[in-house]
Amino acid sequence: MPKVRVATAWFSGCSGCHMSFLDLDERLLEFAGKAELVYSPIVDIKEFPDDVDVTLIEGAVGTSEHLHLLAEIRRKSRLLVAFGDCAVTGNVPSLRNPIPREEVLHAVYGDGSVPGLEGGEVPKLLPQALPLHAVVRVDHFLPGCPPPPDRIWKFLRQLLAGKEPELAREDLRFG
Amino acid sequence: MITLRIDDIPVQAEPDQTILDAAKAAGIRIPTLCHLPGLSPVGACRLCLVEIRNWNGKLVPACATPVQEGLDVVANSDRLRELRRTILELLFAERNHICAFCVANGHCELQDLAAELGMDHVRFPYRFPPLPLDASHPKFGIDHNRCILCGRCVRACSEVEGAMTWGFAGRGIFTLIEADLGDPWGDAKTCTGCGKCVQACPTGALFEKGRATGEQEKRPAIVAALTERRPRAQG
Ligand code: SF4
Ligand code: SF4
Ligand code: FES
């Protein structure tokens, strides 16, 4: 059986969801036997590849670069998974949402010219940090801050076995 | 005795009981949020909606509808599951519920219900309203970001403590829970500092000072324990 082509990406999040993924520990060996990690912050590949079976995205959509990459990922992935609370709800990065973007940036960078506000090379901060499904179609939601490794594994095992992943009750708890 | 059916099970109830009471006695689960034993029912949140077959499928709140002879009640169906989930999603979309760093994380009735009812995401756009937090009271705080306007605090304060400190101010999505006539809670002359509102609150909106993320456990059962000792309060 050909390996499932899996990608992961990291938007406005703290990397905690990826850390929780690495906490699969010895289950990572089983994962490696069934899946190939074709793009991820933990592998050194620059371009998002074609024909990805499943992409897990951690983090909210917070910058113009996330918007750009999200559109590309959606186009090139068969299944898209909102991985963790920031991707599912906006969560911690959405704390800035009630405050105007300019105010947030000036509070952090002072009064001078601010990177990410207008022109320049730095991706622009969006007015609000949004959950993935506010921007593109999302196929599955894997909540938790971060989702505990057992929950991630329950989800991935069903997916790798070609089943429709189903989570219920405690495995859907936010926070 | 009144006889009715809930989810096709024949159930007996006393005339002064509600559909929710009868369901509980029969071991049938109906989710609730604004309802709290010991306080008067108000039917505010609509999570306990049930369907009455012989009233043309009319939806009524089980917590606030008295039993009647011959009622044919549906307490669990795909239609009700979808309605209840939608209500929850609207509650989450309305204010800023960031469970990961809420004092009530892991001990919140709203969060519990989201998991129970299979709410894996919110289909409505979040409003992200700018809302205040009032920490002026020496012992407690109120964070309007987490308030679902269930009114359990208002009823605990007026019906059990008798202080009538809390009330609703404003209308619609602009409604806020308010102490006295909009004073900071710490300045409210009527507040006795008893903390019943905090214990009755189902979410992280009312909290005890000094609690960090996930540390605020509530004791809502204290309300029924008190009113049972003081039957007058239920009058
Ligand atoms: S009040 Fe409940 S649902 Fe709201 S943020 Fe806190 S834990 Fe989450
Ligand atoms: S503060 Fe708590 S008890 Fe009072 S209305 Fe808001 S959520 Fe309900
Ligand atoms: S619990 Fe019945 S309407 Fe809220």
Side-chain angles (χ1 to χ4, degrees):
Chain A
M1 211 168 90
K3 286 189 173 183
V4 182
R5 288 165 62 79
V6 178
T8 78
W10 172 15
F11 290 179
S12 284
C14 69
S15 91
C17 298
H18 276 83
M19 294 300 144
S20 200
F21 171 78
L22 291 175
D23 280 340
L24 288 176
D25 298 335
E26 72 277 7
R27 290 168 292 196
L28 284 171
L29 297 175
E30 192 180 331
F31 176 80
K34 293 180 177 159
E36 187 188 352
L37 202 53
V38 293
Y39 179 94
S40 171
I42 55 172
V43 298
D44 191 18
I45 298 167
K46 305 288 180 230
E47 295 292 323
F48 195 86
D50 292 327
D51 293 324
V52 176
D53 292 311
V54 189
T55 303
L56 283 78
I57 300 182
E58 163 189 338
V61 186
T63 71
S64 52
E65 169 62 13
H66 299 152
L67 267 187
H68 172 83
L69 186 55
L70 181 57
E72 183 177 356
I73 290 176
R74 180 65 274 189
R75 204 167 58 242
K76 295 179 171 176
S77 314
R78 208 167 49 80
L79 291 177
L80 182 60
V81 182
F83 179 32
D85 276 1
C86 296
V88 177
T89 75
N91 202 33
V92 176
S94 76
L95 264 177
R96 70 174 172 88
N97 289 1
I99 309 165
R101 178 183 72 132
E102 289 66 22
E103 222 176 281
V104 173
L105 284 171
H106 283 303
V108 175
Y109 293 101
D111 288 335
S113 93
V114 167
L117 190 52
E118 286 315 328
E121 298 298 307
V122 187
K124 280 174 217 48
L125 200 67
L126 300 177
Q128 295 193 318
L130 298 173
L132 304 184
H133 70 274
V135 184
V136 295
R137 179 171 55 80
V138 170
D139 300 290
H140 297 289
F141 298 85
L142 177 46
C145 183
D150 288 347
R151 190 182 296 181
I152 299 176
W153 189 233
K154 206 183 267 184
F155 183 88
L156 283 179
R157 261 177 82 171
Q158 300 179 66
L159 205 71
L160 293 178
K163 292 193 201 121
E164 183 79 358
E166 273 180 34
L167 294 177
R169 297 264 166 173
E170 275 314 293
D171 284 323
L172 287 182
R173 183 176 286 277
F174 293 118
Chain B
M1 270 296 192
I2 283 177
T3 307
L4 64 161
R5 296 169 77 80
I6 305 179
D7 284 347
D8 294 315
I9 299 168
V11 176
Q12 292 219 307
E14 302 289 342
D16 62 346
Q17 286 190 304
T18 61
I19 295 175
L20 180 65
D21 295 330
K24 258 190 205 158
I28 298 166
R29 162 92 179 137
I30 298 176
T32 59
L33 197 48
C34 70
H35 180 75
L36 184 62
L39 301 179
S40 53
V42 289
C45 73
R46 315 312 267 187
L47 263 161
C48 68
L49 281 182
V50 293
E51 207 178 309
I52 311 291
R53 271 202 196 114
N54 43 1
W55 290 354
N56 268 333
K58 189 176 155 72
L59 298 165
V60 298
C63 71
T65 308
V67 290
Q68 290 182 33
E69 186 62 41
L71 278 191
D72 190 359
V73 180
V74 183
N76 292 288
S77 67
D78 286 346
R79 178 187 180 207
L80 289 170
R81 258 185 293 281
E82 176 56 27
L83 284 168
R84 289 169 185 160
R85 178 177 163 164
T86 303
I87 292 166
L88 277 182
E89 288 180 38
L90 288 167
L91 288 174
F92 274 90
E94 188 168 304
R95 298 204 174 178
N96 303 304
H97 290 275
I98 298 169
C99 300
F101 77 109
C102 179
V103 282
N105 189 13
H107 316 287
C108 168
E109 292 181 35
L110 181 64
Q111 189 191 41
D112 290 349
L113 280 171
E116 180 187 335
L117 301 184
M119 195 197 86
D120 62 353
H121 73 292
V122 171
R123 291 165 294 183
F124 301 99
Y126 287 91
R127 288 186 60 248
F128 301 119
L131 289 169
L133 182 152
D134 179 353
S136 59
H137 193 282
K139 291 198 286 186
F140 315 116
I142 178 165
D143 182 352
H144 295 280
N145 292 282
R146 329 256 191 202
C147 171
I148 54 169
L149 302 173
C150 67
R152 275 162 55 161
C153 55
V154 177
R155 283 172 285 151
C157 184
S158 64
E159 296 175 15
V160 188
E161 177 62 5
M164 298 190 195
T165 303
W166 292 116
F168 295 97
R171 297 182 69 85
I173 53 170
F174 302 109
T175 310
L176 288 182
I177 292 296
E178 196 174 84
D180 282 0
L181 290 171
D183 289 340
W185 188 0
D187 297 342
K189 293 190 180 58
T190 58
C191 176
T192 62
C194 73
K196 290 187 187 69
C197 55
V198 177
Q199 301 307 332
C201 173
T203 70
L206 288 169
F207 57 89
E208 294 158 344
K209 281 191 171 174
R211 301 281 182 192
T213 300
E215 286 184 357
Q216 180 67 66
E217 292 189 45
K218 300 287 180 81
R219 290 179 296 144
I222 202 174
V223 170
L226 286 171
T227 52
E228 274 157 27
R229 284 176 180 74
R230 284 185 297 157
R232 263 185 316 135
Q234 280 176 326

